[in-house]
Amino acid sequence: MCGVNTGSGMSYSPIHPSSAESVCSANLAALLENIPDVQIIDIREASDYVVDHIDEARNFPMQDFASLSQEILANPQTAYLLHCYSGYTVAVYGSYLVEMGAKNVYYFDESFYELKQALRAYRKEQ
């Protein structure tokens, strides 16, 4: 479960609420084991994608939400893990997609670099 420790022994989850299902470093391995062919979608700007990206990620920059939503809605059997810079924008996008009828959307609720690190750790364990 993703969330922030409040210091009182309680936590809330996710960091960025959404109608889509949140994924973070703590549960990424479980998602990849249950859905090994999940499609990773990077919604950062194309210029940032060129500089650094997840190898298997495809880039749908934020301004291309219409194309991304068409693909996701046309492929309900495919699971999609969205990521951005911090998790905020993909939480919003995830909610929009769920409201449009998508049931196959996950979003990474941490930073891009935390996703890279979590994927690297997962791959070392494999």
Side-chain angles (χ1 to χ4, degrees):
M1 179 167 291
C2 304
V4 174
N5 187 341
T6 62
S8 63
M10 299 182 70
S11 63
Y12 64 93
S13 174
I15 297 167
H16 302 103
S18 175
S19 299
E21 190 168 339
S22 68
V23 175
C24 60
S25 299
N27 64 355
L28 178 64
L31 174 74
L32 296 174
E33 288 167 10
N34 291 328
I35 311 172
D37 57 348
V38 65
Q39 299 292 303
I40 300 175
I41 303 295
D42 183 336
I43 68 159
R44 298 174 308 137
E45 294 298 322
S47 58
D48 291 326
Y49 178 85
V50 169
V51 171
D52 193 13
H53 63 272
I54 307 298
D55 289 339
E56 61 271 27
R58 293 185 300 144
N59 186 230
F60 281 85
M62 291 183 278
Q63 63 272 23
D64 203 10
F65 180 74
S67 296
L68 175 61
S69 61
Q70 287 173 357
E71 175 170 331
I72 289 173
L73 293 170
N75 296 288
Q77 301 304 318
T78 302
Y80 293 88
L81 174 61
L82 310 179
H83 81 83
C84 61
Y85 300 98
S86 69
Y88 175 76
T89 303
V90 288
V92 173
Y93 274 30
S95 289
Y96 288 153
L97 290 161
V98 168
E99 289 171 13
M100 296 169 78
K103 297 181 182 353
N104 52 341
V105 177
Y106 302 83
Y107 69 100
F108 194 75
D109 199 17
E110 294 177 289
S111 75
F112 164 70
Y113 293 104
E114 287 167 306
L115 175 58
K116 280 192 78 165
Q117 184 177 23
L119 283 169
R120 191 175 306 120
Y122 174 77
R123 289 176 185 137
K124 280 185 179 180
E125 293 176 5
Q126 299 306 303

